[in-house]
Structure formats: structure tokens, C-alpha cells
Amino acid sequence: MTGGMFGDRQSSMGRDQDWLYPAIAIAMGTVICAAALQYMTGYPSLPRGRVSLTAALVIIALTALFRFLRYLLSLWRAGEQHPSARIRKQFRPALLAFWPIAAGVVTLGTFLHAISFLKSMIPAVVPFWADALFAATDRFIFVDPQAIAIALQPALTGIGLFYGLWHAAHLGGILWVLHWRDGRKARHILSFMLTWSIGMFFAFAFSSMGPIFTGQYDPSVAPETTRKAAAFLWANYQADGALLGGGISAFPSMHVAIAAWLAIVLKDRGLPWLGFAYLVGVFAGSVILGWHYVIDSVAGIAIALAADRLALQWTNRAAQQEQAAALPMPAPN
């Protein structure tokens, strides 16, 4: 027996509603929040959606192509005598099974685009104020990121490259989860979105720039990859821009928060040490490269854990309600 063209409809359709509807609600709430803040502050720039839309469409097309090629391979291995007839028969059910993934890509793309816009607007809503407080916490625990960076100068380029891989881990991780076919998918998609949402709330409340932008960390010490990224963020900040990936915010470290989310995901897949090692590496890089204070990264982990707990409670409640609805009605007396 071979599976469906784009996946098993029966195994996925019932579970997709557990994450897709809440995900759409979170994404739309984020968009509304960003639009409201832009209106209230008169922020001069607006995000351009063409890049996100194009990326979403490319991802959807590549995903569909990959699944179709895998399906053809399964037909070949099974020795299917009439593959074209089988494909025609299963094409409509395959599209019905695939639409939640396509909808998920668009929903997540919209959500992350709105998050990026919110991040750019932070100083327009709450001027940076918390850097002195967080720098004092580093001094209290005797952490000097610049001294550490100088001591690790020969390895700093490698640390910068490793830290930059976060973007691939960030998008690759959530796209990987989006293709899962079990009940754990809902928990991790919702915890991803909640991690970002909670993180943005605290980013506004504790508006801060980070050592590399405040003069507490000399950018010339950092590797070239870090300096280029900092220059991009600073130019977007000075122009009151809304470039995708722009926005300066130190607290909490969303790099570390998403690394913690990915560590939870990998633990769920039986790879706890890989996730833990990646989290430790991103935590260390966030401080050594001057992006964050130690408390930023600690807060990022706490937010990811809280988001995962909330998502788990939501999915457990949804599963219980689904089981209760499936129970037969008691016979009348």
C-alpha cells in the first residue's frame, strides 16, 4: 500500500484544526496589533509583503513538489501497474490533505512579518530605557562580554558564523514541525507563536538595545558577520524603517528563546543533547558577540518554557474535548 500523494488525509485532517485555527487567530491578532501601533504612533514606514509572500509561495511549491516526487517513488517501489490512473484518482484527496500545510506557511509568514514590523516600532512606542539596568546585572555577576570576546578572538569568526545559522534553524525548525503528522505538531506550532508573542510583549516593556549598540561593547572586536548585521539593524533604526528582519531589541533574546523552543522540539524527537548543545551555543554567542546581556538570554529560555507549557495545556484540553465528543451518548432510560 502506498500513502496519499501529499500525505495521509485521514491521519492529518482531524489534527490540523487543533493548531491551524488558533494559529490564524494569533497571526491576525499580531497583524492588528502592529497596524494599531503604526496608526497611533504615526510610524513613517510600512513593511513590504512581497518578499514574505514570494518566500511563502516558493516554500509551498517546493514542499508540494517534494511530496509528489516521494509519492511517485512509493508507486515505483510498490510496482504500481497504472500510476497515471492512481495519480488522477488521488489528486483531489491529496490537495485536501495538503491545504493545511499551505495555509500554515502563509499564516506563519504573515505572523513573522508582523512580528518583524512590531520589533522595528519598539523605540517609537517605548524609547530604549533598560540598558543601564541590564548592564548593571552583568557587572553584578562579573560578566564582561568584550573581555571574553578578546580572549576568544581566534574563534570569534566561527562563533559569529554559528550564531548566524540561527535564521536557518528558526525557519527550518518551524517548517519541519509543520510537516509532522502526529498530535505533537499542534503543541510546537502554537508554542513557537506564543514564544514570539510573549517575547514581543516584554521587548516593548523592557525596551533595550544591547551592548553592541550602546558603546558598552566595541563593535570592532566583533567578527565581520556581526558588524554587518549590526550595521543593517542600525540603518533600519535610524531611518525608522520596516525592513524584514529589522528592529533592535535586546530583552528578551529571541535568538535564545527560539533556540530553547527548538531544544524542546528536538527533545520530543529523541534528540535532547543536540537541542541542548545548540541552545548552549546560541546562549554563549548572544553574550560573547555583544548582542545581549546575560539576563536577556535567561529570560528567553523562561519565555520559551512558559509558551510550551501554555501550548501543552491548550492541546491537552482540545484533545480531552475531542475525546469527550467522540463518546457515545448515553441511552435514554
Side-chain angles (χ1 to χ4, degrees), residues 130-143 216 251 293-296:
D131 285 278
L133 174 63
F134 297 147
T137 64
D138 274 6
R139 290 193 298 270
F140 180 76
I141 59 177
F142 304 106
V143 173
Q216 300 171 54
F251 183 94
Y293 309 100
V294 172
I295 195 172
D296 300 340

Side-chain angles (χ1 to χ4, degrees), residues 5-6 52-70 91 95 98-99 101-106 175 178-179:
M5 192 180 303
F6 297 143
S52 293
L53 178 61
T54 301
L57 293 177
V58 169
I59 290 170
I60 291 170
L62 290 177
T63 298
L65 177 61
F66 171 77
R67 287 182 169 237
F68 180 67
L69 292 176
R70 188 175 63 177
F91 187 75
L95 287 179
F98 183 70
W99 80 262
I101 293 178
V105 171
V106 173
L175 288 173
L178 189 61
H179 287 79

Side-chain angles (χ1 to χ4, degrees), residues 127-299:
F128 296 124
W129 69 270
D131 285 278
L133 174 63
F134 297 147
T137 64
D138 274 6
R139 290 193 298 270
F140 180 76
I141 59 177
F142 304 106
V143 173
D144 185 346
Q146 185 165 303
I148 298 172
I150 292 172
L152 295 175
Q153 196 68 39
L156 216 55
T157 298
I159 295 172
L161 291 173
F162 170 81
Y163 195 76
L165 290 175
W166 176 88
H167 298 282
H170 171 223
L171 294 178
I174 190 59
L175 288 173
W176 175 43
V177 172
L178 189 61
H179 287 79
W180 290 8
R181 299 181 186 177
D182 58 53
R184 294 172 292 181
K185 173 179 179 176
R187 168 191 173 186
H188 294 307
I189 290 176
L190 295 180
S191 67
F192 174 88
M193 299 181 78
L194 287 173
T195 296
W196 269 112
S197 300
I198 298 170
M200 281 298 98
F201 172 82
F202 282 103
F204 276 86
F206 295 92
S207 179
S208 51
M209 305 181 78
I212 201 167
F213 294 113
T214 61
Q216 300 171 54
Y217 184 101
D218 185 355
S220 66
V221 174
E224 184 179 2
T225 52
T226 300
R227 294 197 301 272
K228 286 184 176 180
F232 164 76
L233 293 172
W234 187 253
N236 184 70
Y237 165 66
Q238 287 190 312
D240 289 331
L243 295 176
L244 186 63
I248 294 174
S249 176
F251 183 94
S253 170
M254 294 310 300
H255 276 68
V256 173
I258 295 301
W261 169 83
L262 185 58
I264 295 170
V265 170
L266 290 171
K267 180 182 178 182
D268 206 12
R269 282 307 200 201
L271 298 168
W273 290 108
L274 178 60
F276 180 74
Y278 180 69
L279 174 58
V280 170
V282 173
F283 190 119
S286 72
V287 175
I288 294 170
L289 297 173
W291 289 117
H292 293 284
Y293 309 100
V294 172
I295 195 172
D296 300 340
S297 298
V298 173

Side-chain angles (χ1 to χ4, degrees), residues 2 31-32 41 52 109 122 129 208 212 226 242 260 262 272 284 301 305 309:
T2 59
V31 170
I32 291 171
T41 61
S52 293
I122 289 174
W129 69 270
S208 51
I212 201 167
T226 300
L262 185 58
I301 294 174
L305 292 174
R309 177 58 56 183

